[in-house]
Amino acid sequence: MRTADLEARIAGWSRPGGPFDPAVLTAHDEAESFPAEACAALDAWGLPEYYVPVRYGGRQDRLDEFLALLRRIAARDLTVAVAHGKTFLGGVCAWVAQEDGPADLLARHVLAGQPVAWGLTEPDGGSDLLAGSLTATRHGSGWLLSGRKWPVNNATRGNLMCVLARTDPQGGPRGFTVFLIDKRATPAGTVRPLPKMPTHGIRGADISGVELRAARVPAHALVGTVGGGLELVLKSLQLTRIVCVSLSLGAGDHALGLLRRFLGERRLYGRDLVALPHVRVTAGRAVARQFLAEAVAHTAARAAHQVPEELSVVSAVAKAFVPTLIHGQLRLVGDLLGARGFLTGVEGYGGFAKLERDHQVVPLFDGSTWVNRAGLAGVLPLLRPGRRATAPGAASPVRWLREEHRPAPLDTRRLRLSAPRDSVLGALPTLVAELTGNDGTPGAADQTASLARALLRAYERLGADLAGTRPTGGAPSTAALRLAERYEWCFAGAAALALHAARPRLHDGPWGRDGLWLRGCLALVLEGLDSGPSAATQVYDRLGTLLGSTPDVPVSVLDDTAPDEPARDGSVEVPAA
Amino acid sequence: MTTYGFDRAAPSEIQSWLVERLAEYLPDLGEAVDPHRQLGEYGLDSITVVAFAADVEEQLGIPVDPTAIWDYPTVSELAGYVADELAGRRPQAA
Ligand SMILES: Cc1cc2nc3c(=O)[nH]c(=O)nc-3n(C[C@H](O)[C@H](O)[C@H](O)COP(=O)(O)OP(=O)(O)OC[C@H]3O[C@@H](n4cnc5c(N)ncnc54)[C@H](O)[C@@H]3O)c2cc1C
């Protein structure tokens, strides 16, 4: 993986006067101007190659790597990550449609550094994709497009935009189609950019829109099939929602870096700040949130390759859960930073307020937390524990979460709109049963096992509460949304347990010894499930103490800067036909 | 083993069963569901379709992606699809 290389480059670019110099980026934020230098540096490094799958000539062959790259950028500046990473979202429909569309053409543009926008939202539509009124009608061999897409990231800077258009006046799930528009190839005066919108966060990003007035596009602008647009977009969103959570991971990295520095510098009452128990415990909670977010994000990224038919659930959980978890983490960090979290001119800490503002967009775009949670709520009865015995031929996530496991190529033909099962959460009973008592000292191992058993009980309670429910249509009740939220917490706990089981390396080192990181995650999960364990405070206290005392140890359970190695275990999976 | 309240070899029985299922999603509909009318005309939104597909899948033990309902948008067409699926596969334990 080239993550380490990118990280080193960004560190260099962050020196005074460099394209990632915080002063330069802050100036862009204040002036609401696009961070063009930083985006150009990423272009020169070759980031666009990662927006294009290997089969179309790019370097994108594993989502976990892509998440790691975008996370590194987000950890420096979330606006840049959103502004540049948007091209992944813009292109994904073409990759998912495969040969039914202009994938080769698009690949050439992206590899040449062209930004691509993704226009789904319309002024009156919001989250309701079926309300879209931008219309495409046949015209000769091509199409005429009329209507507006707004608000859209990169809508003005991007010459290319993938849009969802109504092709059947009646609308409906087979009434929409995706088109790739190349603005340069449309007749003059038929495509008009809508003005950049001032925003609360990511102020430098190009958040604008586009208006099409009988804009003529050629037949080869069609992506996928006529009427296949909604299905294509919903499947593409399963991938982009997983990618989006890397923005939250990066925000968490940034915040924890500031907190760590603060803990190292700040003295109060003649002592280091970490002498205050409340500070240690709060810092430890923030660290545990980062680990749990990593476990979910990484599991989701691997799941995309391994169990793509389950992604409707996995991606909804990831997108609803991780940005919310990190939003809470930023609150905790902001609390601890005190005035320095609020003042924007204090050297080194001024970035926190910007970061917090920038992150607020992550839970709302690409399907808000509530849109994802509502989607999950609708199908929960189908995911009820024990409803299906074991998945036919499904490998445990422990197998595909191993460090050396090389993910199978992403097979977008296996994506489905409703998941037949959830192998991650389905593995929970086995993961708990197989927790060995021999990692760590006996006391710690017992505590880990007891937290894991408490999670299993909470999961069984969820199962019992789901037993009486049936799939329902329309807007889910508040009670159903709370069930979905409990489902997310259980899923997160299972992901953490699976990661622990898959990676012996995580049983050691400052965070791993005695299973500390895992206990932090389980404690958070149990709190989220209203069964907060009495041991939680002590676990957070240790995590917080470590944050302050080990300045050189990355706050991460993922070692995604390791060089790419061929699979040593021969575990290249052959996707089921 | 899934048990059905109908003969799964008979598409007409599957059709009546689907009509009853669907009626549960349309509590405000004052009439019987017409098997030849487009489901969209009944105001079935996209989340409802996903839920309805999940429901049919759950009760019959065969995979029914929401896209099947999009592609067979009347009860009559859907019954034909479901009958084919049931004939082609043994139901899984539910
Ligand atoms: C900075 C920025 C960049 C953006 N970039 C793009 C882009 O590049 N391309 C693009 O297409 N769009 C983009 N969007 C639009 C974004 O995806 C929309 O904000 C989103 O579609 C939701 O629309 P809305 O905000 O109008 O909320 P609404 O849809 O009006 O929702 C209002 C509220 O209802 C909740 N809600 C909606 N549906 C449900 C449900 N089913 N169950 C429960 N609660 C629900 C929402 O969570 C929200 O709280 C961007 C938005 C912003 C702010």
Side-chain angles (χ1 to χ4, degrees):
Chain A
M1 296 199 198
R2 288 175 73 214
T3 321
D5 183 62
L6 180 65
E7 188 161 25
R9 294 297 184 94
I10 301 180
W13 295 331
S14 300
R15 294 201 195 100
F20 273 81
D21 174 358
V24 170
L25 294 167
T26 303
H28 276 305
D29 191 59
E30 280 166 6
E32 301 182 26
S33 57
F34 192 79
E37 304 86 346
C39 288
L42 294 171
D43 283 339
W45 181 80
L47 190 63
E49 294 171 33
Y50 289 89
Y51 298 150
V52 179
V54 168
R55 61 183 295 195
Y56 299 109
R59 295 178 78 138
Q60 183 198 106
D61 71 341
R62 43 192 301 179
L63 234 45
D64 55 355
E65 179 183 31
F66 184 62
L67 260 76
L69 291 171
L70 208 54
R71 171 181 180 175
R72 292 307 185 282
I73 301 163
R76 293 284 176 168
D77 191 88
L78 203 50
T79 305
V80 173
V82 171
H84 203 287
K86 185 66 202 186
T87 295
F88 174 83
L89 277 66
V92 73
C93 278
W95 322 136
V96 172
Q98 300 196 352
E99 53 279 349
D100 284 334
D104 286 310
L105 178 82
L106 182 66
R108 283 200 297 279
H109 284 300
V110 174
L111 292 172
Q114 287 287 334
V116 187
W118 200 18
L120 303 177
T121 310
E122 297 185 12
D124 295 329
S127 311
D128 184 1
L129 293 177
L130 286 172
S133 66
L134 185 146
T135 307
T137 45
R138 287 188 192 272
H139 177 79
S141 65
W143 299 80
L144 287 182
L145 272 62
S146 290
R148 286 174 169 209
K149 289 291 176 186
W150 178 95
V152 173
N153 185 1
N154 258 335
T156 302
R157 296 179 61 90
N159 284 320
L160 299 153
M161 186 192 283
C162 250
V163 296
L164 181 66
R166 182 181 284 249
T167 36
D168 178 343
Q170 303 300 317
R174 287 293 186 220
F176 290 83
T177 304
V178 175
F179 293 91
L180 176 66
I181 303 172
D182 186 341
K183 291 182 199 166
R184 295 163 299 187
T186 50
T190 62
V191 179
R192 186 172 73 94
L194 298 172
K196 171 176 161 60
M197 298 301 295
T199 46
H200 175 64
I202 58 164
R203 296 169 48 152
D206 166 21
I207 307 301
S208 52
V210 68
E211 182 178 68
L212 308 173
R213 287 190 194 163
R216 200 165 64 228
V217 303
H220 66 252
L222 175 68
V223 184
T225 54
V226 175
L230 187 72
E231 179 179 358
L232 186 55
V233 162
L234 292 176
K235 287 179 173 174
S236 300
L237 281 167
Q238 293 178 10
L239 301 174
T240 61
R241 285 172 177 167
I242 293 174
V243 166
C244 280
V245 305
S246 65
L247 301 170
S248 291
L249 294 184
D253 290 334
H254 194 164
L256 289 174
L258 294 175
L259 176 59
R260 192 176 234 181
R261 175 175 161 188
F262 188 61
L263 294 179
E265 289 177 356
R266 188 75 176 151
R267 287 179 61 82
L268 268 189
Y269 315 112
R271 281 175 296 172
D272 289 337
L273 195 62
V274 280
L276 298 176
H278 170 73
V279 169
R280 290 196 304 272
V281 171
T282 306
R285 273 181 200 280
V287 170
R289 279 179 178 252
Q290 187 74 2
F291 293 156
L292 190 59
E294 283 190 313
V296 173
H298 192 66
T299 302
R302 289 271 175 111
H305 296 267
Q306 227 56 46
V307 285
E309 53 285 329
E310 299 177 19
L311 279 203
S312 60
V313 165
V314 173
S315 64
V317 168
K319 181 67 174 56
F321 186 77
V322 173
T324 308
L325 194 67
I326 295 299
H327 182 77
Q329 181 209 50
L330 298 181
R331 297 290 295 269
L332 295 172
V333 174
D335 238 17
L336 291 180
L337 292 178
R340 280 158 188 75
F342 196 72
L343 297 167
T344 53
V346 180
E347 190 280 314
Y349 295 106
F352 182 78
K354 171 177 181 313
L355 151 72
E356 203 186 22
R357 277 188 285 112
D358 284 358
H359 186 260
Q360 287 189 35
V361 76
V362 184
L364 78 81
F365 66 28
D366 245 38
S368 70
T369 300
W370 293 104
V371 165
N372 279 288
R373 196 163 281 160
L376 188 61
V379 296
L380 274 188
L382 202 71
L383 298 166
R384 196 177 64 233
R387 179 180 166 267
R388 300 239 162 123
T390 34
S396 161
V398 176
R399 181 166 153 70
W400 44 262
L401 281 172
R402 279 175 308 179
E403 201 119 40
E404 65 277 16
H405 172 83
R406 179 138 183 85
L410 192 62
D411 184 356
T412 56
R413 287 165 309 184
R414 285 170 65 194
L415 296 172
R416 294 186 46 177
L417 297 192
S418 70
R421 72 188 82 83
D422 175 349
S423 343
V424 175
L425 191 42
L428 183 66
T430 315
L431 289 166
V432 174
E434 288 177 356
L435 249 192
T436 49
N438 54 12
D439 35 283
T441 53
D446 286 348
Q447 197 187 59
T448 310
S450 130
L451 293 172
R453 282 194 304 271
L455 169 58
L456 188 58
R457 285 194 299 277
Y459 174 58
E460 286 162 356
R461 279 197 298 280
L462 174 64
D465 291 346
L466 286 175
T469 61
R470 285 183 22 82
T472 49
S477 64
T478 311
L481 289 172
R482 175 60 191 150
L483 289 173
E485 205 180 340
R486 283 166 61 193
Y487 190 93
E488 292 162 25
W489 283 107
C490 288
F491 181 104
L497 279 164
L499 201 60
H500 172 83
R503 308 217 167 154
R505 181 181 62 74
L506 291 182
H507 302 197
D508 207 355
W511 306 118
R513 198 163 304 132
D514 287 344
L516 180 63
W517 77 270
L518 177 62
R519 277 181 290 140
C521 289
L522 293 175
L524 277 181
V525 166
L526 289 169
E527 284 176 354
L529 291 164
D530 299 329
S531 334
S534 53
T537 307
Q538 175 222 334
V539 172
Y540 299 140
D541 194 303
R542 267 189 67 194
L543 287 168
T545 306
L546 274 172
L547 180 73
S549 60
T550 56
D552 299 323
V553 180
V555 189
S556 175
V557 291
L558 302 177
D559 185 13
D560 45 20
T561 54
D564 200 2
E565 288 173 38
R568 265 170 275 140
D569 63 347
S571 66
V572 176
E573 304 282 328
V574 180
Chain B
M1 190 73 183
T2 310
T3 49
Y4 315 111
F6 59 86
D7 176 0
R8 64 193 189 94
S12 64
E13 293 207 17
I14 295 174
Q15 183 166 306
S16 328
W17 181 81
L18 284 171
V19 163
E20 280 170 37
R21 289 265 77 76
L22 193 61
E24 293 175 19
Y25 288 82
L26 303 166
D28 300 332
L29 190 73
E31 56 191 90
V33 172
D34 177 350
H36 300 290
R37 217 171 132 187
Q38 299 271 325
L39 296 179
E41 291 177 37
Y42 288 110
L44 219 59
D45 64 30
S46 55
I47 295 184
T48 313
V49 165
V50 174
F52 180 57
D55 194 12
V56 176
E57 168 161 330
E58 157 138 304
Q59 304 220 17
L60 297 185
I62 52 164
V64 180
D65 207 51
T67 51
I69 299 180
W70 298 354
D71 293 330
Y72 302 93
T74 67
V75 167
S76 155
E77 289 170 277
L78 188 61
Y81 168 81
V82 167
D84 289 348
E85 287 293 305
L86 284 171
R89 267 173 251 209
R90 301 200 119 257
Q92 298 164 350

